[in-house]
Amino acid sequence: MREYNIFRLKNHALLMALAAVYPLTASAAGAARVDFAVGTVNVVAAGGVVRSASKGTELQSGEALVTGEGGRAQLRFSDGGMVSLQPGSEYRIDEYRFSASQNGEEKGFFSLVKGGLRTITGQIGRNDKAAYRVKTNVATIGIRGTEFTVVYTGANSIAVATGEGVIEVCNNAGCAILPSGTSAIVSGPDTRIERSEVRPRLDPAQPEDIRPYVFASSDARQNDGSIAPVSAPLRSGGNYAVAYAYRNESTQAVQATGVSPTSASFTDMSSMQAFIDGTKNFAVGSPVGSFAIDGVLGWGRWNNGTVTDNTTEALTNLHYVAGTPVSLAGLTGIANFNAFGGTNATHKDSGTGIVTVGDVATGTMTVNLTTSTIQNLALNVAINGGNVAINESNIAVTGAGTFNYLSISTVSGFFAGANASFAGLTYSTSGGAAGLTGGNVTGSVVFSR
């Protein structure tokens, strides 16, 4: 049962009102314009030059808006997005590109250096979620929706809440998906993202048109008093499916397969420590990061580890998706899945030993539930300054809800969750399109519908 829809904000009227007051405009001379400023508000240029900001002041890509202890400001971007800053904030426009034609080169990369903000996103990121992100000291926030709040609660801790849509919060420990009305705290760059039922608020009260909602509630606590995680943990035991891809250091070959059922062990933070595939026993050496959602699906990467059969061999960069597989039997119709997370792609050159790390794959999957067939799988992996595409079709899904497919690429995975609401897979494919040779590009991807 999904646990995270605790509150549901009804902001549709608010969003429509904002659209009427602040209509979308084509790209002007600046990336953004100050629509509201009170108290001490300054613009800091990339070279460090400071100028005072007031209503109508334009900001360029590379500039930052800084509010003093009594200052508040509201920015409107040329793509229709809006940002409201609380006192004592610094918000930098790292890179911004937008044209009314939306030619695929749009980009909105921002940094919240200190303080807090509430934002209603514009057109950037609607078609390509990877085109938008907000970085903080401890996590990076990507959008899959329209409105969220983020506030520093310490030098290296933040609180995040989603108003409308869905956001993805990622740090070194993994990623969390926060749907409408949910909140989370991040206590450091390497700590697990944890759920909280208290929404961060921006004080003092913001201008009337974007005043944040405030809920009277307490933290969601576990029996030991700690804050409940964003999702239920995975428990050690059997009947799991594990799709994985790794590099065998003895043979210098990439191995990729999916197994079901199998046993797996996890920490209380849902980081997989070991699993069994037939007679092979896999054990982690040092994990890079992991995350789980709803207690039915988890993913991560091991930097190194071992695989033991008759002998013990070293492995590197093992990508995995683990969970309880579910059958598609009894489900009908066409289901569209969108990628929302996974592990950063890796490639190791067998000649030079150089490891290249790319981005998390993005893409979609269309599934015919009636026939238990993945009609189309389309993934894009950004790595080495280029892109690797994975396009496969007519992948048969077994009665257990798993699939293994070997064609131009190797793809293995399974469906999980109520009514097969999630899916996860690992892939291994040539990196030639991105100029990588001497080994395959591997990674994992998770989907929801």
Side-chain angles (χ1 to χ4, degrees):
M1 178 177 180
R2 303 179 78 164
E3 300 179 332
Y4 44 44
N5 277 322
I6 300 170
F7 299 113
R8 178 73 179 178
L9 300 185
K10 304 300 183 183
N11 278 353
H12 302 293
L14 168 64
L15 295 173
M16 291 176 66
L18 285 172
V21 176
Y22 301 108
L24 177 66
T25 60
S27 180
R33 187 180 71 206
V34 176
D35 275 344
F36 179 93
V38 64
T40 303
V41 182
N42 292 311
V43 176
V44 180
V49 177
V50 180
R51 67 183 189 274
S52 178
S54 59
K55 183 176 181 179
T57 298
E58 289 190 344
L59 278 77
Q60 309 289 339
S61 183
E63 294 187 321
L65 191 66
V66 181
T67 58
E69 289 307 311
R72 289 184 284 134
Q74 182 173 296
L75 277 174
R76 177 164 62 97
F77 285 83
S78 60
D79 73 330
M82 297 180 64
V83 172
S84 175
L85 297 180
Q86 73 169 21
S89 299
E90 181 177 345
Y91 177 73
R92 187 173 64 242
I93 306 172
D94 295 322
E95 187 175 358
Y96 184 90
R97 294 200 301 266
F98 178 75
S99 63
S101 62
Q102 296 194 59
N103 57 10
E105 298 181 357
E106 298 81 22
K107 186 173 292 186
F109 293 163
F110 313 97
S111 291
L112 180 64
V113 181
K114 62 179 180 178
L117 65 81
R118 184 181 179 204
T119 182
I120 297 174
T121 60
Q123 293 299 306
I124 293 177
R126 295 295 174 86
N127 296 325
D128 179 9
K129 306 304 182 186
Y132 178 100
R133 67 170 180 252
V134 176
K135 294 181 64 176
T136 70
N137 290 346
V138 296
T140 299
I141 302 168
I143 59 164
R144 313 183 75 77
T146 53
E147 185 263 322
F148 64 91
T149 300
V150 55
V151 178
Y152 277 96
T153 56
N156 287 294
S157 60
I158 61 172
V160 188
T162 307
E164 287 291 328
V166 182
I167 66 170
E168 180 181 44
V169 183
C170 295
N171 67 359
N172 294 335
C175 294
I177 306 300
L178 300 181
S180 300
T182 58
S183 306
I185 59 173
V186 188
S187 300
D190 301 308
T191 62
R192 181 183 173 89
I193 301 163
E194 297 179 310
R195 187 179 70 185
S196 172
E197 291 185 1
V198 176
R199 284 178 54 83
R201 62 172 293 164
L202 304 185
D203 292 318
Q206 301 298 294
E208 178 67 25
D209 53 43
I210 57 170
R211 181 175 298 154
Y213 288 76
V214 179
F215 293 95
S217 180
S218 60
D219 289 343
R221 298 278 176 177
Q222 302 185 97
N223 293 334
D224 62 1
S226 62
I227 297 177
V230 174
S231 58
L234 292 167
R235 305 295 187 186
S236 298
N239 297 318
Y240 279 110
V242 178
Y244 63 94
Y246 70 96
R247 183 178 179 84
N248 186 309
E249 288 303 303
S250 297
T251 63
Q252 295 194 9
V254 171
Q255 309 289 329
T257 188
V259 295
S260 178
T262 187
S263 61
S265 62
F266 302 89
T267 67
D268 57 2
M269 304 296 280
S270 295
S271 177
M272 189 170 71
Q273 301 297 290
F275 68 97
I276 299 172
D277 176 7
T279 60
K280 295 180 179 180
N281 290 269
F282 293 80
V284 68
S286 58
V288 176
S290 62
F291 193 72
I293 188 168
D294 284 355
V296 295
L297 187 67
W299 61 95
R301 177 163 66 94
W302 298 353
N303 185 54
N304 53 61
T306 58
V307 54
T308 302
D309 195 349
N310 295 322
T311 60
T312 298
E313 298 176 330
L315 61 84
T316 58
N317 287 319
L318 184 144
H319 301 261
Y320 72 85
V321 179
T324 305
V326 298
S327 173
L328 302 185
L331 302 177
T332 59
I334 303 297
N336 295 310
F337 288 75
N338 293 299
F340 69 84
T343 55
N344 292 81
T346 59
H347 173 276
K348 185 174 182 179
D349 190 299
S350 58
T352 64
I354 295 175
V355 175
T356 303
V357 179
D359 291 343
V360 176
T362 59
T364 60
M365 185 168 63
T366 303
V367 181
N368 187 323
L369 300 173
T370 307
T371 62
S372 295
T373 305
I374 299 173
Q375 290 184 334
N376 183 64
L377 171 67
L379 296 176
N380 182 73
V381 184
I383 188 170
N384 197 41
N387 290 282
V388 174
I390 298 175
N391 294 288
E392 304 292 353
S393 58
N394 297 320
I395 301 174
V397 181
T398 70
T402 64
F403 52 90
N404 290 283
Y405 188 78
L406 174 60
S407 180
I408 298 175
S409 304
T410 300
V411 177
S412 301
F414 58 92
F415 292 85
N419 296 316
S421 54
F422 296 104
L425 62 83
T426 54
Y427 61 84
S428 175
T429 191
S430 169
L436 296 170
T437 59
N440 278 3
V441 173
T442 56
S444 69
V445 193
V446 287
F447 300 81
S448 65
R449 69 180 176 103

